[in-house]
Amino acid sequence: MTHRRRIHPTTLWHLLRRLAPHARPYRGKLALGFAAMTLAALAEVIRPWPVKVVFDGILIPQADPDPVMATVLSWVGTGDRLLWTCCLAILSIAVLGGAAAYVQSTLVSGVGQRVVADIRLELYRHVQRLSHSFHDSVSTADIVSRLTGDVRMMRDLLIEAGVLFAARSLVMAGTIIVMALMDWRLTLAALAILPALVFLTNRYGRRIKDAARHQRKGEGRIAVVMTEGISAISLVKGFANEAHEEARFSEQNLSSAEAGVTSTRVSAEMDRLVQVVLAAGTCLVMWYGVTRVQAGAISPGDLLVFTAYLATLHKPIRRMSSMSARVAKATASGERLLEVLDLRPEIADRPGARKAPYLRRWISFIDVTFAYPGGNPVLQNATLTLRAGETVALVGQSGMGKSSVAKLLMRFYEPQSGRILMDGTDIRDLTLDSLREQISVVLQDSPLFAATIRDNIAYGRLDATDDDIAAAARAAGADRFIRRMPKGYDTVLGERGETLSGGQRQRIAIARALLRDAPILILDEPLTGLDRTTAEELVQTLKMISRDRTTLLIAHDDLTLSMADRIVRLTDRRFAEDGFPPLILERKA
């Protein structure tokens, strides 16, 4: 079984198109931001003109001023009045442009942060709904790396590439138009360097993206090694393998650092070359502009303003070339996000699937064949029936596929052939949520959250009242030790419940299963790792909660098997032996 991937190009524009729907709820703010962006660009374009007026109208008056200059002189006059007007214009343009840029930056940043949060939510929601095989094949640390680091990089992609690129493009377009109106020949000379800039950006952008891709993958591997080392710290210390774990981490850390150094070096090379090309363009414009002034084609003030526009044009070009490095890195992160978002769950509701009814008769495995991806079959033409209210113990050697039976019942996986029926209905014709609502689970290492005891028990039924939670805890034999804790049910547990003993963790897991009050109960090695006294106490509790429930009991020890009404042995990929506990236990002895 494989996840279905949609083939997609990994280009900037493809990523922006894929992510654009997240910006739609913020259309109003984006429109206002675009208006502010246009106003800021206009202020940038007209910024040099008061200097031209001062130069050509006061310092070096022209005998035959151009039409724009003649209009300004006729409106304002000459001398001190013209000077003060130009000073006021410079200040007004600065204030107007600054205010517009502030509004643009604030709106764009706010929208960018919200869009990134929406993308992270979509990714997390999607990961939650992917099939169990995905979570078996991808490390938790890698998923966390994508949810944090890669999503954070998308902010650069959305803000830098999406909006600020548009702002700088507006400034460039306005500047080029004004320059062309002033002197199209000089404008062509100024734009002669663009092919070289495009070539540099494309060439180095690909190299930066490749280095960034390796760096992000390296950071994902770092997260895996780090998470494994920290989560298994007791094992690491117990075997005195701290130096080994440090070496593993150092290897991945160095690999990622080298990729980062490569990315930085390539970015620096591109920046230096861009500056050289821009300097060459400035020299060309300066030389040709002076010849145009000497020929009387333009005034000295025109050349001054044109040179100012050239600097205005070069500023966004430098920023955009620098931005291309960050965008390349963000694009590499975007690829990692799409790798997950383009996955489709293997297990999903069939068209027309209906809600599962409350189990009243039986569960049947009929000629079921199942194998994990790339593995040999763990079940082959296996048939088994569990009657309603019956506790069936499934035994067999480790690795024979006992837990796989439970996963198939919960539709974590689908069999390659055969059917699993619930009261005569194929479970694939039932909705996933309603099917799993019929099942409670107690595992040998039941996960607990770093939350209050109350929240951990209530995870079995999120709308449970405090009285319901306390009743489930009493039934599971957990209420007494919970009330002895500093804050009772409001005591916050450590990660994975490490602040509790094994027996206490299992009792909370049992209380959670009891609170769910489902007709089907799965007990997967629930007493593993517990001392005999604790195990004997828990057996009595488990017997109580399995009463009147259809229970699949996966076990190997005599104490757990004593709970069963019937014992089934899994051997040679089939359910081969069926009998009653006293007979089977006696035969084992």
Side-chain angles (χ1 to χ4, degrees):
M1 294 184 292
T2 57
H3 294 279
R4 291 177 287 155
R5 296 176 182 266
R6 292 193 303 178
I7 304 300
H8 56 77
T10 53
T11 64
L12 168 63
W13 301 117
H14 174 76
L15 288 173
L16 289 177
R17 285 197 304 272
R18 285 290 307 275
L19 299 174
H22 293 282
R24 287 175 186 160
Y26 310 102
R27 288 190 294 263
K29 290 184 177 181
L30 286 175
L32 182 59
F34 185 80
M37 181 193 309
T38 304
L39 190 59
L42 178 62
E44 191 73 22
V45 169
I46 64 176
R47 192 185 305 276
W49 279 93
V51 178
K52 168 184 165 56
V53 172
V54 170
F55 202 87
D56 286 349
I58 299 177
L59 297 179
I60 309 177
Q62 302 296 303
D64 186 17
D66 58 63
V68 175
M69 189 68 194
T71 302
V72 172
L73 293 175
S74 65
W75 284 358
V76 179
T78 58
D80 290 345
R81 184 175 181 183
L82 181 62
L83 177 61
W84 282 108
T85 301
C86 289
C87 291
L88 180 61
I90 292 172
L91 183 60
S92 299
I93 291 171
V95 171
L96 180 65
Y102 173 80
V103 172
Q104 167 206 314
S105 177
T106 302
L107 287 174
V108 167
S109 178
V111 169
Q113 295 286 357
R114 288 175 175 82
V115 169
V116 167
D118 292 344
I119 292 172
R120 181 180 287 118
L121 176 61
E122 181 194 4
L123 182 63
Y124 184 75
R125 182 187 293 123
H126 187 70
V127 166
Q128 289 282 312
R129 283 161 175 75
L130 286 176
S131 301
H132 209 275
S133 56
F134 167 80
H135 296 278
D136 285 345
S137 61
V138 179
S139 71
T140 302
D142 185 63
I143 296 174
V144 171
S145 175
R146 296 178 196 241
L147 281 166
T148 53
D150 288 318
V151 171
R152 186 169 57 249
M153 290 293 292
M154 297 309 297
R155 184 173 57 239
D156 284 343
L157 181 65
L158 292 173
I159 296 176
E160 296 286 346
V163 182
L164 297 187
F165 178 84
R168 288 157 188 166
S169 297
L170 281 175
V171 173
M172 289 178 61
T175 300
I176 291 172
I177 291 172
V178 174
M179 291 169 67
L181 292 174
M182 294 179 65
D183 191 301
W184 64 269
R185 296 177 181 82
L186 203 55
T187 302
L188 289 179
L191 298 179
I193 62 172
L194 286 183
L197 291 174
V198 171
F199 171 77
L200 287 174
T201 301
N202 286 337
R203 179 181 177 184
Y204 280 89
R206 286 193 296 268
R207 292 173 60 188
I208 294 169
K209 182 179 176 181
D210 289 341
R213 184 185 295 114
H214 288 116
Q215 183 180 14
R216 289 302 305 154
K217 288 182 178 178
E219 289 174 357
R221 289 191 292 269
I222 287 174
V224 172
V225 173
M226 182 171 59
T227 302
E228 289 177 346
I230 293 175
S231 60
I233 190 65
S234 297
L235 181 66
V236 173
K237 288 183 174 297
F239 282 88
N241 277 339
E242 291 90 343
H244 171 71
E245 290 302 316
E246 289 170 10
R248 289 180 64 208
F249 184 84
S250 177
E251 179 183 357
Q252 298 298 337
N253 195 34
L254 182 60
S255 176
S256 177
E258 288 175 350
V261 169
T262 300
S263 177
T264 302
R265 177 176 54 78
V266 175
S267 299
E269 287 179 10
M270 185 179 71
D271 288 343
R272 301 292 80 76
L273 288 174
V274 166
Q275 288 187 10
V276 170
V277 172
L278 292 178
T282 302
C283 292
L284 178 60
V285 169
M286 187 67 68
W287 172 81
Y288 188 51
V290 169
T291 62
R292 297 285 288 164
V293 172
Q294 291 173 341
I298 59 175
S299 69
D302 288 334
L303 180 58
L304 181 66
V305 172
F306 198 93
T307 304
Y309 275 128
L310 187 64
T312 300
L313 181 64
H314 287 178
K315 183 178 178 181
I317 288 177
R318 284 196 304 271
R319 287 182 176 175
M320 289 172 74
S321 65
S322 175
M323 178 186 73
S324 66
R326 296 197 298 275
V327 169
K329 295 176 182 178
T331 303
S333 291
E335 291 177 354
R336 284 168 49 83
L337 297 184
L338 292 189
E339 284 177 2
V340 176
L341 290 173
D342 283 346
L343 292 175
R344 292 296 174 263
E346 295 175 354
I347 312 297
D349 290 338
R350 283 180 171 180
R354 61 184 184 273
K355 185 175 181 180
Y358 195 88
L359 177 69
R360 298 187 183 281
R361 292 182 290 169
W362 64 74
I363 298 170
S364 296
F365 290 75
I366 302 177
D367 293 327
V368 171
T369 296
F370 170 71
Y372 289 103
N376 295 321
V378 294
L379 294 176
Q380 191 162 9
N381 299 323
T383 297
L384 172 68
T385 296
L386 288 76
R387 292 181 289 274
E390 181 183 34
T391 297
V392 175
L394 187 59
V395 301
Q397 295 180 356
S398 178
M400 292 295 293
K402 300 186 298 296
S403 295
S404 300
V405 175
K407 292 178 181 178
L408 288 171
L409 179 57
M410 292 185 286
R411 284 196 73 196
F412 288 173
Y413 293 91
E414 299 276 45
Q416 279 74 38
S417 65
R419 296 185 299 161
I420 302 173
L421 307 181
M422 181 180 293
D423 283 350
T425 301
D426 193 320
I427 62 172
R428 288 171 292 192
D429 293 326
L430 306 174
T431 61
L432 281 171
D433 287 347
S434 67
L435 170 66
R436 291 168 184 170
E437 285 172 359
Q438 302 287 307
I439 303 171
S440 293
V441 183
V442 178
L443 306 174
Q444 59 178 308
D445 184 20
S446 296
L448 296 180
F449 298 98
T452 66
I453 294 177
R454 185 191 315 278
D455 291 339
N456 272 281
I457 296 176
Y459 204 77
R461 180 158 56 88
L462 297 177
D463 60 350
T465 66
D466 288 349
D467 289 342
D468 293 335
I469 294 169
R474 283 194 296 272
D479 181 73
R480 185 178 303 172
F481 80 78
I482 292 174
R483 293 191 183 279
R484 287 200 301 264
M485 301 189 78
K487 295 184 179 179
Y489 283 84
D490 292 320
T491 301
V492 176
L493 301 180
E495 185 178 3
R496 297 186 59 83
E498 292 295 337
T499 52
L500 300 176
S501 68
Q504 289 173 334
R505 287 198 297 271
Q506 284 299 78
R507 289 188 184 280
I508 290 178
I510 293 169
R512 182 166 58 196
L514 267 172
L515 186 64
R516 192 167 184 82
D517 195 23
I520 303 171
L521 178 63
I522 295 175
L523 302 176
D524 191 352
E525 306 278 10
L527 304 183
T528 299
L530 301 180
D531 63 82
R532 184 74 180 185
T533 301
T534 302
E536 289 175 349
E537 293 175 355
L538 280 177
V539 161
Q540 300 307 314
T541 303
L542 291 172
K543 284 181 178 179
M544 183 271 298
I545 71 167
S546 62
R547 189 178 304 136
D548 299 326
R549 288 182 171 84
T550 306
T551 304
L552 177 63
L553 175 62
I554 299 170
H556 65 277
D557 61 282
D558 296 353
L559 185 59
T560 309
L561 292 177
S562 66
M563 299 167 47
D565 299 319
R566 184 161 52 101
I567 296 178
V568 174
R569 185 176 302 280
L570 182 58
T571 181
D572 294 330
R573 300 186 292 276
R574 288 181 174 86
F575 303 112
E577 188 171 345
D578 191 352
F580 296 98
L583 178 62
I584 299 296
L585 294 177
E586 183 178 1
R587 186 184 307 169
K588 286 177 62 180

